[in-house]
Amino acid sequence: MESWGSIAVPKLNYPLQMPSLILTDSKTQAKKLLAKKDVYRMYVCGITPYDATHLGHAATYLTFDLLQRYLRASGSTVNYVQNITDIDDPLLERANRDGVDWQVLAHSQIDLFRSDMNALRVIPPAHYIGAVEAIPLVVQAIQGLSSKGTTYLIEDDLYFENGACDDFGSLSHLSKAEMESIFAQRGGDPTLVGKKDSLDCLVWMAQRPGEPGWDSELGTGRPGWHIECTAIAYQYLVPDPESPELIDIQGGGSDLIFPHHEMCRSQATVLTGKELASTYVHAGMLGLDGEKMSKSKGNLVFVSTLLAEGVDPMVIRYALMMEHYHRDRMWTNDVLLQANQEVNKLRAALSMDHVAPTETVIAEVIHALSNDLDTPAALHALQSWTIKSQEGSGDGDATTLRICLDALLGLVL
Ligand code: ZN
């Protein structure tokens, strides 16, 4: 599927000390140093296109954008793949509810997502893959699981035995009761009659009356959600045969840790005998005015709405960086106002003839980002530099700082 337009990232044309990146790994629940590599393989789960991009999505994709920018500035290449779940129950349910064709709904929301990402200067993935176009890959992956005797039929639907992965649960660290409860809340079917285990997951759903289906060796139907990402990641990230893991980074919002990423990991491990990712990175959830932001509460704040209201996309980007990616946080109007003030001050300082020394602040920004993408510390360093510049004196190079902000933080000011 066509991605959004490319985002120009300026080259940092003078030698910078870029320490190795430290990230919080969900599997070990600890900070982990990312080994230096020439090419990183990164897979980030994309949207199900039945609602526009809300700020929670934006915060997640911004996190992986910062990660990619840091690795690129360190001289590495990032092979970045993102999917779009353009066929799944929530999409069909929303299309039914609104009386629109599911494909029309999906295309309109994918277009909106692309323009939101472009406005926020999020670097597009090298491969942007829809579930529908990936069906042959999914079928192949399911056949691989079946050849290992780990799938079974319930009526005409095919299920995968997650227990075939010896350490199933080692990513989410949840008890079985917790998993069952979350699985039920997030679209799973733990109590379905005929399952060998409550946590087994659907990999191929036979066509239902009135719903779309695709012909395949598995019968006419459509893919389950988890196997879609497993198959796309495996195909498009071309794992290094020498590596004990298939890819370097698997990412998404923290609500994907279970069941989605746990089950992708389980499928990938059974299919290949390897760990899916060397590092699992998850962005925290975003709430609004003290409440969890969710579709069911109807309190989502959409990027497109803010942009239509005339909010500067760089202010949205700055506001999302004011809290650490890993933490859950609240969005309030005050956050936006504060970001607006800080961006204005920074812009004004950058346009002054004489600014405070810039080498130190650039080093501070890089150091902060290297430490688990600590954007609050990076922005704090910029605020101190802005104050020093306003106080006068200095022989800094605002142009160089501006290039660094663009390359590393995606801020064009
Ligand atoms: Zn996914």
Side-chain angles (χ1 to χ4, degrees):
M1 189 170 292
E2 196 184 332
S3 188
W4 53 98
S6 64
I7 300 290
V9 180
K11 280 239 175 303
L12 301 173
N13 52 3
Y14 74 104
L16 288 172
Q17 288 293 327
M18 303 285 296
S20 290
L21 186 57
I22 293 170
L23 292 167
T24 299
D25 173 37
S26 300
K27 186 158 185 278
T28 53
Q29 298 184 313
K31 285 191 178 181
K32 188 171 176 180
L33 192 70
L34 208 63
K36 282 260 189 195
K37 295 181 80 172
D38 291 336
V39 179
Y40 292 92
R41 295 166 173 83
M42 179 164 84
Y43 186 91
V44 179
C45 290
I47 58 164
T48 300
Y50 62 98
D51 234 336
T53 324
H54 59 74
L55 284 170
H57 291 134
T60 295
Y61 299 116
L62 173 62
T63 298
F64 295 95
D65 186 60
L66 293 167
L67 203 166
Q68 176 168 204
R69 284 170 183 272
Y70 191 88
L71 295 176
R72 283 169 62 148
S74 306
S76 300
T77 302
V78 182
N79 185 6
Y80 174 25
V81 176
Q82 189 182 130
N83 70 310
I84 321 120
T85 306
D86 58 357
I87 182 65
D88 204 5
D89 289 345
L91 175 64
L92 296 176
E93 284 159 15
R94 176 62 64 94
N96 262 341
R97 190 199 75 177
D98 296 350
V100 292
D101 180 89
W102 65 273
Q103 286 168 300
V104 172
L105 175 64
H107 287 145
S108 68
Q109 297 307 306
I110 292 168
D111 275 347
L112 202 48
F113 178 71
R114 288 187 185 115
S115 59
D116 289 344
M117 290 295 104
N118 201 269
L120 294 176
R121 298 189 65 76
V122 172
I123 300 170
H127 300 284
Y128 191 44
I129 310 297
V132 171
E133 64 185 314
I135 284 174
L137 304 179
V138 172
V139 169
Q140 211 179 352
I142 295 171
Q143 287 171 326
L145 293 175
S146 296
S147 73
K148 293 175 191 299
T150 57
T151 60
Y152 60 93
L153 283 167
I154 300 180
E155 297 185 357
D156 291 327
D157 297 337
L158 202 56
Y159 277 75
F160 167 67
E161 294 179 57
N162 274 303
C165 173
D166 292 339
D167 59 352
F168 180 70
S170 63
L171 172 60
S172 58
H173 305 275
L174 298 167
S175 68
K176 181 148 189 180
E178 287 168 328
M179 287 190 203
E180 285 171 338
S181 163
I182 297 172
F183 193 34
Q185 287 164 31
R186 296 183 180 159
D189 48 10
T191 57
L192 182 75
V193 175
K195 288 180 90 168
K196 290 187 182 176
D197 186 279
S198 56
L199 297 174
D200 292 346
C201 64
L202 180 72
V203 285
W204 187 257
M205 180 195 251
Q207 186 175 23
R208 304 293 196 259
E211 291 190 359
W214 286 263
D215 293 335
S216 80
E217 292 94 322
L218 306 170
T220 305
R222 58 184 165 98
W225 177 30
H226 315 304
I227 192 70
E228 166 196 339
C229 287
T230 311
I232 295 173
Y234 187 59
Q235 176 71 24
Y236 284 92
L237 288 169
V238 196
D240 173 2
E242 303 295 316
S243 167
E245 295 98 7
L246 294 174
I247 63 174
D248 299 290
I249 294 150
Q250 191 199 27
S254 61
D255 56 342
L256 295 186
I257 296 176
F258 193 87
H260 187 48
H261 286 174
E262 189 75 75
M263 293 186 179
C264 291
R265 176 185 175 273
S266 163
Q267 292 166 348
T269 306
V270 170
L271 201 56
T272 67
K274 291 189 178 194
E275 181 68 39
L276 173 57
S278 55
T279 310
Y280 295 89
V281 181
H282 292 98
M285 294 288 104
L286 204 70
L288 175 69
D289 296 329
E291 280 206 69
K292 190 172 179 258
M293 212 185 273
S294 71
K295 290 178 185 75
S296 55
K297 286 202 167 78
N299 64 348
L300 298 174
V301 177
F302 295 108
V303 172
S304 51
T305 310
L306 293 176
L307 295 174
E309 287 168 359
V311 178
D312 177 349
M314 292 299 99
V315 170
I316 302 174
R317 199 171 162 111
Y318 191 104
L320 291 170
M321 291 193 287
M322 281 164 49
E323 184 56 275
H324 190 269
Y325 80 87
H326 196 61
R327 285 187 211 116
D328 292 340
R329 86 285 280 278
M330 280 298 149
W331 181 268
T332 63
N333 207 35
D334 285 347
V335 171
L336 198 58
L337 288 174
Q338 195 190 337
N340 194 41
Q341 282 172 4
E342 295 298 340
V343 165
N344 286 340
K345 281 190 230 169
L346 189 52
R347 269 205 181 110
L350 284 165
S351 62
M352 288 162 59
D353 290 335
H354 298 285
V355 296
T358 39
E359 270 189 30
T360 312
V361 68
I362 290 170
E364 286 169 347
V365 167
I366 290 172
H367 176 75
L369 290 172
S370 75
N371 181 21
D372 203 15
L373 303 172
D374 189 351
T375 49
L379 298 185
H380 181 73
L382 289 169
Q383 286 160 13
S384 301
W385 175 84
T386 301
I387 292 166
K388 280 184 211 147
S389 294
Q390 283 163 344
E391 284 168 353
S393 79
D395 56 355
D397 177 359
T399 303
T400 301
L401 178 57
R402 199 178 253 133
I403 290 170
C404 283
L405 295 183
D406 184 354
L408 293 167
L409 296 175
L411 288 175
V412 176
L413 302 174

